[in-house]
Every structure is written in C-alpha cells, then in structure tokens.
Amino acid sequence: MNRKTLVLPVVAALLTPLLAACGGGDKSRAIVVGTTDQFVATEDAPAPLDPAFAYDTGAWNVLRQTVQTLMHVPRGSGQPVPEAAESCGFSDKQSESFRCKLREGLTFADGTAITAEDVKFSIERVLAIKSDNGTAALLANIDTVETKGDREVVFHLKTPDATFPYKLSTPVAGILSKDKYDGKQLRAGFDVDGSGPYTMKTERDGDKVTKFVFTKNAKYKGDITLRNDRVELRPFTDAAVMDEALEKDDIDMMARTMSQSQIKDLTEKPKDGIELTEVPGLEIRYLAFNTKAPSVEDKAVRQAMASVIDRGALVSEVYGPTAQPLYSLIPSSVTGHATSFIDTYGEPDTAKAAKILRDAGVKTPVKVTLHYTTDHYGAETAKEFEALRGQLNGTRLFDTQIQGTEWSKFRPAQKRGDYAVYGLGWFPDYPDPDNYIAPFLDSDNFLNTPYVNQSVRDRLIPQSRRQADRTAAAPVFEQIQKIVAKDVPVLPLWQGKQYVAARDDVTGVEWALNTSSDLLLWELGRGTA
C-alpha cells in the first residue's frame, strides 16, 4: 500500500490518537530497525552505555529498552506515570520531597530482587561519578535519597522542582544493580544489565557495535506493553545505505536520521510496500560558542553573527519543508517560546552587524572556524555548514572556514573547549521548556560552557521550576530568552520535523519515535493496522 501517514504535532502536551495499530502477525520474528547513530567505545568515551555517562539520543535509545526507570512518559507524551514504581508523587506542597513505591516482586533480568537500596545506589552513583558529559546535571538538585523498607524511596530536593518526575523518567535515573556496577567508576564497553522490557546482546567489529539484539525480558514488570518478542537495531554508516537496506527488505524500518532527499522522494514518489510517517518532533539545531575563545570572546562578534545569519534561506536551501527557522532556544510548539532573536536583531542586516563590530572596536574580517560533526545528525549537516560559511563570508565582515569531524572525536574536543564555534543538535530529555534552558545555561551543563549568567542560574531557573503549572512559568522563560539573545552564548538556527519509513506490514510505527526522538521499540509489531 502506498500512502503517507501523518501524525500531527500539537502544542505542549501531545494528544493521544483515538486509534492505535494492532498487529496479528508473528511476534517471534525479529523486527529490524535501522539507525545512522554510531556506537563506538573510544579512549575519551570508553563507557558509552553507562547511564552515568550516556547523554546522546543514540545511547539513550539503547538504554530505554534495557534499563528501567521509576517513571516514564506514556505513549503519546503527557505527564510522567509510574513505571518500575507502582506510585510516585510529591509529598509536600513545595515540590521538594518526592516519594516512590516500587512494584511488588520487581527483579532484574537475572532474577535478582530490586529494592529501594538499588534505586538509591543508582542515583547516588551518577552524582558521585559526575562525568564530564553533563549527565549528572539532571539529578544535581537532589539533596539526599532516603529509603524506607525495601520498596519505598524518598528524594529530598535542594530547591522546588516541578520537572523532577520528568528527570526520573530519563535513563540517567535508570535502576542498576550494585552487584554489577561500581559505585565510583564507569562501566566500560557495551554490556547493560537492567530490568527493562528487553535484555540485550551486541555484535561488534572491534570497538564498534554492528548490531543490537533486544529480546523480551520474561521477568519484566512495569507499565510498558510489548508488541513483539525481539527487535534488532542496526547502525548504518549513512542514510543512503540504510535506505537501500529498507528497499531490499533487509530491515523493516528506518528511523533517525533520514535525509531530506529521502523524505522528499517518498513523499512525491511513494514506493510499493513502504510507508512514510511524520511524527511530532522537538529537535533543534544551533551554533554554540566557547565564550573564552579569543575569536568570539567579545560578544559583539556573536551578536554580529546573529544579525546576519539568514535562517529562512538556510532552511530553504538545505532542509526544505522538513524544518523551520528558530529564533529562540525553546521551539515554537513548546510553552514558553518567544521570538527573542528576531525581536532583538530583526531580519538579516549586514549594516547593523558592521555597526555592532565597529562600535565594539572589532577589526574585520573576523576569522572564525565553524566546527560540525560529520556522522551524527544526518547527511545534510555538511551542506548546512557550507551555507552558513557562504552567508557569513558574503557580508565581508567574516573570514569563515568550516571543519567536519566524526562524533567520537568531535564531542570530546567540544567538551574540552577546543572549538570556538561549533554546531550541535538538541533532542529534549523531556518535553518541558526547562530542558531547552538548563542543559545550556545551568551549572555542570551539557555544553561545559564557560558562559555564566548568575541571574539565570541562581534566580530565574529555580523560579521557573517552582511552577507546577508550566504555563505559569512562561514569563520567566521569556526573560531568560531575552538574556540569551543579548549575550549569544548559543545561536538557535532551526527546529525540525521527524520522519520514519517502514515496511507496510509493520504496526505501531506512529508510536515508535516520540517527541524527544526516543525509540520505543516495544510499540512495533507485525500485522495489519
């Protein structure tokens, strides 16, 4: 059957569709999913699948299948609900004490009983290791973890945080066995032991994974319903090779990241037996700055770049209808979004940029190198940076070079501060405006940035988290976005849509990729919708 399936995005909380696919096919035959994510153990990142270190979409897509969390975001998004827990909630009006009770009879995949002490160990382990990947920042507001018997755990927070249930839904809060994980150091390699819906085995070529095999965990107890018994996740070097595998029926679905040309072709010229599905997405792309680097230390340079980059032309030239210009860190479909950059700088204006640089005494052309990763965000990334170079150099205010590096080397170099200007993407850990602000501006942030605004860190972020009604926090987020537009520690470029292509006998495709780009492989089945 040739058709394009469309699941429409909605604002803030996503509505659950009325009808879900139900399959009557063979659950035992593995469903094979392709991805362009690469899984490599390196000297800089020897433990890519340790929950205390992992902080990229690819690694989390493995951990979500294998490591259980107390809570999870349900199908169709919305507020987190208990997963490994049977109940969770704040026990005070100030949102400073969060209590969870574990399900009865909960065990790891090897049959070992899970107790509240395992939860305490897992959380305290992340905070003790405090890896340089920024992962621990999600749990940094925890003051103490208290256990009451074998099944009850209480998190005492340093300051009120209405977003805490979301944080407990991320793999960083995954429940681990103290018998198999060291409490003070990362676990190298690709082995994962947990209590999630699947157990996992890997096939490898040296330090690189060539296949993950997920098998239904017979001892799993939780809120997730599995619609298959086995799924394989196969990394591909690029989207074109992944596409060939789908056409040959070597794989059943290709998820992230499809190229813009593939999406265009499947939209305009549907292929027999393959369906294209658009699913809600909250991905953003941006340039970030090492604000201590000599070439961009003067914020006038960053402001001038913000004044001349033409997001509309960039999106039109490179991504077409699969993306839209973004003028804030917070996407337009998330509560709290403001158009702070266009409000501050207006439409691209070379004369305005020249005045900013002239008034600051900055000599032109300013020499800058834009760094990007060649193998992490999709086939169009190189073309995007060529377009950015063309825009900046076209003003004669900048002398711009671009440099591409594979992700396994790019990310460590970026964290070390080797790059003055670099491009990254962000897939939210949870669908709340807080997660587009704190990972970039709070202490111990994902970027490891030297930029610090004490008003944002000490006053505005904590103030936003006090609001249980997230719409009430919108004015605070608007203030933060104005500060970001003025100081330009990051420069938002665009927000993207998500697409999945699958064989037409695979069901549950519309649920298998959520707004945070999490692969929910248990949703996939075989049969007819």
Side-chain angles (χ1 to χ4, degrees):
M1 181 176 8
N2 292 327
R3 61 185 169 95
K4 177 185 174 184
T5 305
L6 178 64
V7 178
L8 294 175
V10 298
V11 177
L14 299 173
L15 298 177
T16 304
L18 296 177
L19 296 177
C22 57
D26 182 1
K27 290 177 66 177
S28 62
R29 183 160 63 95
I31 295 171
V32 185
V33 176
T35 178
T36 56
D37 288 319
Q38 302 299 304
F39 303 88
V40 184
T42 66
E43 184 177 347
D44 289 312
L49 296 182
D50 190 315
F53 176 85
Y55 204 8
D56 67 83
T57 304
W60 276 21
N61 281 341
V62 173
L63 290 173
R64 286 189 187 278
Q65 322 307 319
T66 52
V67 175
Q68 201 171 13
T69 50
L70 288 170
M71 306 188 76
H72 78 128
V73 176
R75 170 197 269 196
S77 194
Q79 296 294 317
V81 297
E83 212 290 77
E86 69 174 32
S87 63
C88 280
F90 285 106
S91 55
D92 65 333
K93 293 182 179 180
Q94 291 75 36
S95 300
E96 288 184 313
S97 182
F98 196 81
R99 187 182 303 264
C100 289
K101 186 175 183 179
L102 294 175
R103 292 178 186 271
E104 191 171 0
L106 200 67
T107 71
F108 291 107
D110 65 1
T112 304
I114 295 176
T115 70
E117 283 297 327
D118 292 301
V119 177
K120 177 180 169 71
F121 163 80
S122 303
I123 298 297
E124 292 181 342
R125 176 178 183 270
V126 172
L127 296 172
I129 292 174
K130 197 178 180 180
S131 83
D132 66 355
N133 218 23
T135 322
L138 283 170
L139 304 179
N141 193 35
I142 295 174
D143 186 18
T144 59
V145 183
E146 178 187 3
T147 61
K148 294 187 175 183
D150 287 340
R151 294 176 56 200
E152 195 168 353
V153 58
V154 183
F155 301 93
H156 300 285
L157 307 183
K158 299 172 184 175
T159 58
D161 186 2
T163 71
F164 189 66
Y166 279 114
K167 294 169 182 175
L168 285 185
S169 303
T170 65
V172 66
I175 303 171
L176 307 176
S177 168
K178 53 184 174 291
D179 294 331
K180 295 189 176 180
Y181 286 81
D182 190 300
K184 295 183 180 179
Q185 64 182 16
L186 295 172
R187 180 178 179 177
F190 298 104
D191 292 334
V192 178
D193 290 285
S195 57
Y198 297 99
T199 59
M200 182 192 77
K201 291 184 178 179
T202 61
E203 294 183 13
R204 311 171 197 179
D205 181 5
D207 290 329
K208 186 174 184 178
V209 174
T210 57
K211 182 193 295 185
F212 293 100
V213 179
F214 300 103
T215 303
K216 182 177 180 178
N217 175 12
K219 293 184 171 58
Y220 169 73
K221 288 185 177 181
D223 190 57
I224 292 168
T225 299
L226 277 73
R227 291 165 172 80
N228 60 67
D229 290 336
R230 193 157 63 97
V231 183
E232 294 180 6
L233 183 65
R234 294 184 189 174
F236 288 86
T237 54
D238 57 52
V241 178
M242 183 170 62
D243 187 39
E244 289 177 9
L246 183 65
E247 284 199 48
K248 293 178 181 177
D249 208 9
D250 291 337
I251 64 174
D252 297 292
M253 185 178 97
M254 56 180 182
R256 55 181 314 272
T257 304
M258 295 179 63
S259 69
Q260 190 272 340
S261 60
Q262 288 172 333
I263 295 164
K264 184 174 184 291
D265 287 347
L266 284 171
T267 301
E268 297 177 353
K269 302 174 183 177
K271 296 178 181 178
D272 191 39
I274 296 175
E275 295 180 356
L276 179 69
T277 302
E278 180 186 337
V279 294
L282 296 174
E283 170 192 8
I284 68 169
R285 297 286 179 88
Y286 58 94
L287 292 177
F289 300 89
N290 175 356
T291 54
K292 294 295 185 182
S295 62
V296 296
E297 185 174 16
D298 192 324
K299 72 178 178 182
V301 174
R302 309 192 300 269
Q303 291 172 336
M305 292 178 71
S307 296
V308 298
I309 286 179
D310 189 334
R311 295 166 177 80
L314 177 68
V315 167
S316 177
E317 180 181 344
V318 182
Y319 294 100
T322 65
Q324 64 186 73
L326 180 63
Y327 300 97
S328 164
L329 275 175
I330 300 174
S332 60
S333 50
V334 173
T335 299
H337 166 77
T339 55
S340 52
F341 272 82
I342 200 166
D343 295 343
T344 303
Y345 300 101
E347 296 296 334
D349 189 332
T350 299
K352 180 184 288 186
K355 184 177 187 304
I356 291 171
L357 293 170
R358 185 169 58 250
D359 290 350
V362 177
K363 294 181 179 180
T364 59
V366 180
K367 291 187 176 182
V368 293
T369 299
L370 309 183
H371 292 267
Y372 66 93
T373 175
T374 57
D375 60 349
H376 196 65
Y377 296 120
E380 284 83 13
T381 307
K383 186 178 179 182
E384 175 183 353
F385 276 76
E386 289 167 3
L388 288 169
R389 176 180 60 188
Q391 288 188 13
L392 292 171
N393 288 348
T395 67
R396 299 179 181 269
L397 299 173
F398 295 91
D399 178 3
T400 311
Q401 304 295 321
I402 59 174
Q403 179 66 53
T405 307
E406 62 188 57
W407 178 254
S408 61
K409 296 178 181 178
F410 175 91
R411 175 67 171 140
Q414 176 267 312
K415 289 188 294 184
R416 287 195 302 266
D418 294 354
Y419 304 148
V421 190
Y422 51 91
L424 282 172
W426 183 252
F427 302 87
D429 305 326
Y430 46 89
D432 186 277
D434 175 84
N435 198 239
Y436 290 93
I437 297 297
F440 306 101
L441 304 176
D442 210 352
S443 57
D444 300 321
N445 58 72
F446 167 75
L447 296 177
N448 196 28
T449 177
Y451 171 80
V452 177
N453 185 294
Q454 294 299 156
S455 178
V456 172
R457 286 191 182 183
D458 300 340
R459 181 174 65 86
L460 294 176
I461 290 177
Q463 183 179 340
S464 73
R465 290 173 175 168
R466 292 190 184 99
Q467 300 292 344
D469 176 1
R470 303 308 289 151
T471 59
V476 179
F477 288 117
E478 289 177 12
Q479 291 182 57
I480 295 172
Q481 289 167 90
K482 287 180 181 178
I483 292 170
V484 171
K486 179 184 176 182
D487 291 350
V488 200
V490 291
L491 178 54
L493 297 173
W494 56 267
Q495 65 182 82
K497 301 176 183 178
Q498 292 190 120
Y499 293 84
V500 175
R503 308 298 304 185
D504 61 8
D505 67 334
V506 178
T507 62
V509 173
E510 67 271 34
W511 302 112
L513 196 66
N514 69 12
T515 57
S516 297
S517 294
D518 302 324
L519 273 176
L520 311 180
L521 297 179
W522 51 84
E523 296 286 0
L524 298 174
R526 293 190 188 276
T528 55

